[in-house]
Amino acid sequence: MIQLVLLIVLAPYLVGLMRQVRASMEGRAGAGIGQPWRDLRKLFRKEPISPEGSSWVFTAAPAVLVATTVVIAAVAPFVATASPLDGVADLFAVVALLLLGTVALALAGLDTGTAFGGMGASREITIAALAEPTILLAGFALSARIGSTNLAAIVERGQQAPGDVLSPASLLAAVALAVVVIAEAGRLPVDNPSTHLELTMIHEAMVLEYAGRDLALVEFASALRLTLLLGLWANLFLPWGVATSASPVALLIGVAAFVVKVAVLGAALAAGEVFMAKLRLFRVPELLAGSFLFGVLAVSSSFFLA
Amino acid sequence: MTIGWALLGVLVVAGLGALGAAVASPRPRRVVAGVATSVAGAFGVVAGAAAVSGETYSARIQQLLPLSEASIGVDALSGVFCVLVGGVAIVAGLYSIGYSDHAGSRTAQALLPLFVASMILVPVAANVTTFLVLWELMALTSLALVLAEHRLRPAVREAGVWYGAMTHAGLVAILLGLVLFASKAGSESFDALRAAQLSGTSRSIVFVLIFIGFGSKAGLMPLHVWLPRAHPEAPSHVSALMSAAMVKLGLYGILRVGLDLLGGGPRWWWLLVLTFGALSAVYGVLQAIVATDLKRLLGYSTTENLGLILLAVGAGGMFAADGNRTLASLLIAAALLHAVNHAGFKTLLFLGAGSVLRSTGLRNLDSLGGLVSRMPVTTALFGVGALAAAALPPGNGFVSEWLLVQGLIHGLPGADAVVAVAMPLAVGVVALTAGLGVATFVKAFGVGFLARPRSESAAAAKESPMSMRGAMLLAAVVCTGLAMAPASLGPTLARALQVLPSVRDGSPLRGGVTLRLAGIQGSMSPLLILAGLLAAALVVVALVRRGLPRRTSLVWGCGGTRLDPRMEYTATSFAEPLTRVFDDVLRPEYDVDVTHHAESEYLIESVKYRQRVDDRLEASLYPPVFAAGNKFGSVLSRLQNGSVHRYLALGLAGLITVLVVVGLTT
């Protein structure tokens, strides 16, 4: 519960932090890290608009998208591994839930009946379909050694045996998953979250028709997704600080560790983006194929070097 | 005893239904045929349910079949398939009442109950002759049903030829395999085959033969070519029966002969199954994603799903060969569960496609669209099926794919080189298939049903009649039940696995709300995930309810307000990026015609773009076989020149050969 509230509050600040980092590195003043929350508050008060000819799919998609991210925020071990909900969803279920959110938005993009919506949906689904094998292979490499796909078990194992985290299998999986996290969160070099330029955009093309509180939900969900993906990556490969008991002190350390880890990763990602240009759409599959290769290497090394 | 009476019920109802439909006038005919099909299916479900709850039954009727006796025996494994076939038949029968006024001849309607009865009885057969007779009956009735609409479209005839040829080539392989098995065993009853001691070589020959035969029925690549032709051209309820039920009997054959009668085998058998399963899964989904014909897409998705099922069987067989029963039973249970799940959602999807076809006359996704407001029930139910087929939570396909991945992952500790290479690749295949499957069904649902209609007929679509909607609703309810409570099927699956000697190992699935696995760590709760999703969505909706009401307005049209449906994304354009990524496998053909203006070649009057993606395997593998067959035929035709002397000489040579062979072997 603490975790859920923490993530919901934190997610827009993370986006704000990343924008601020970019702004200061590019020599701009920036709007401050609270700006996404202020935007959301404003959008929530505005009326939602549905395009003519769209259906319930368009209206329901933001709610589904937010629901998938909220469920993941509730069940995955971000702050503590000792959670009563841990058995509900394992690594693969979490991945599938993320994909469900992508699908809801893609269907909404198609439902608007515009070329933009269709284009965004088609591109987003292409990237998601190609990222999927990498996630499962990296998951395979992480969970095969431990004999469990439960996230809490993987995180706890990482804490007990820190050497494992530095093993070749784990490092290769980390690289593979990092690429996937960037692709799934729609960041550079796969997608540029801050443009509305037709030729480059993926995520923004799908949500072009959303307005008012629908748009607020979509924006909030994408911020939460980014936080979840960074948090998962952090806890799988840098498991330190995650609380293993429910005592208040441990939880407090868990919260602090989580905030620091995600903030550092987010800032690093934003700093990286400053120096990067977006890849051509058809170079993205090559990037994902590369990360797939890392996944395969991770699996084979988890066997041969075990 | 329940089983015996229920099976008798299947026969009687199907026979009476067929007779009734053959003599009735058109209007009552389709009611008689539909009701008889559903009732026969219900009897099948009763028999199967009794069998999976632990009852067994066997009977022999001596003089029924020539040279042999009819023999039936029902155990829990047969029971699973009886329930599966019967369940699909109940839904398809109901549906056919509303659908058949659109298409269907007297013969086709009369044969429908017989087709269902033969499918229910195939898993019940307990000797080789009975099995082959029922198998052939199933092949012939289904062939006639595929041809039901041959007067309406010439493509149906071509599909019929392909299906007839492939199903009989498969029959030959099964026949050779089982006859060889029976001759080595000295008897043809399944009990005798089970007890037979065969040499390793003959066992392997039997296995490869039956794998080819049953694999072709299951739509395994490269023997799948009949499937994407026959499924689209058959009437939709027949497509559902074939795709959801009949192909599963190929799976039944492999399980029954490979793991029960032969009692498992060396690892390379199962590596073979796993390889072809994996290839079919990837190839099927790649073809599905580029398909623009909705029913063809569903047909290729069947190839994909059967590929995944056989991948699970192959991996399970490999673990069984190594003596790892925990994982073997988990994987075979995943295969059975996926077979049941696939039967559920594929029935729903084919019936949904049939509903669209009946209302618009279209199967081409590029001309559909906008059905969500014109056929709301069909759209919503197709959406349930598409969610399941995309293997996303909370659909039922997700649970069995999750089980499959769990089984593959836990094989790593203590694995040798073969397993360590095969399992990660298998996981990669499952993952790629899952990702592309999502893309396929987003395309099918998003392009086919959402947005604005792309043709006149799609714009004029009307909702289907009551019986069709009811049948689809029934299928959707079953799918939802399977998705929510997979753990309750644990004991049933365990009983079915008991039949397989090298696999059986207690109950692989445990738990109530949360699904837990026996012997390995791993848990997931589909019910709680759904509850969480619903709760979160309700909270979100409640939060945003307050405030300004929703307004409908123009779509942003880049400054213009005329938005034409021609500007929408179509199925072809949706799949274009993936087509380009998998260019090397799919080899699409592009055709661009540019018409220049008559007065200047710098002015262009029109551009026509066409893209075709053919089944490349079919184009490269089959023509040489056909050519060789023709050549063989023309060589043989030289034997026949009308001269009586030559025929007498041939007869004499044949007789001498037979005598020499008999003399040498005895």
Side-chain angles (χ1 to χ4, degrees), chain B residues 604-623:
Chain B
I604 289 169
E605 208 151 49
S606 68
V607 179
K608 204 186 248 171
Y609 174 85
R610 262 192 314 258
Q611 181 190 324
R612 263 165 63 93
V613 187
D614 286 330
D615 195 324
R616 195 167 143 235
L617 255 178
E618 181 191 313
S620 58
L621 281 185
Y622 282 78

Side-chain angles (χ1 to χ4, degrees), chain A residues 171-206:
Chain A
L171 291 177
L172 288 165
V175 175
L177 273 185
V179 174
V180 170
V181 164
I182 291 169
E184 287 274 312
R187 309 295 302 191
L188 280 171
V190 174
D191 188 11
N192 190 346
S194 53
T195 67
H196 283 276
L197 187 67
E198 294 90 338
L199 291 174
T200 60
M201 59 195 189
I202 301 173
H203 179 84
E204 296 295 326
M206 283 193 296

Side-chain angles (χ1 to χ4, degrees), chain B residues 11 43 187 262 526:
Chain B
L11 272 179
F43 274 119
S187 166
L262 288 168

Side-chain angles (χ1 to χ4, degrees), chain B residues 353-380:
Chain B
S355 182
V356 172
L357 178 61
R358 182 179 177 280
S359 171
T360 62
L362 293 171
R363 297 193 316 231
N364 187 356
L365 287 170
D366 286 347
S367 331
L368 285 169
L371 300 177
V372 61
S373 54
R374 293 164 181 83
M375 305 174 74
V377 179
T378 304
T379 304

Side-chain angles (χ1 to χ4, degrees), chain B residues 253-313:
Chain B
I254 292 171
L255 288 178
R256 175 64 80 192
V257 181
L259 282 169
D260 178 17
L261 300 185
L262 288 168
R267 197 198 250 170
W268 69 264
W269 292 9
W270 303 106
L271 198 58
L272 189 75
V273 176
L274 182 130
T275 311
F276 277 96
L279 290 176
S280 305
V282 172
Y283 192 76
V285 79
L286 279 178
Q287 290 290 339
I289 193 157
V290 294
T292 49
D293 180 326
L294 181 54
K295 286 178 80 179
R296 191 175 159 87
L297 180 150
L298 295 176
Y300 273 120
S301 147
T302 297
T303 294
E304 173 217 331
N305 279 291
L306 265 291
L308 286 179
I309 292 172
L310 285 172
L311 186 149
V313 170

Side-chain angles (χ1 to χ4, degrees), chain B residues 16 24 33 92 123-124 170 217 223 264 281 312 344 381 400 453 457-458 538 558 628 664:
Chain B
L16 287 180
V124 160
K217 184 58 80 176
L223 302 172
L381 294 175
S400 33
S457 11
L538 282 178
C558 300
L664 286 179

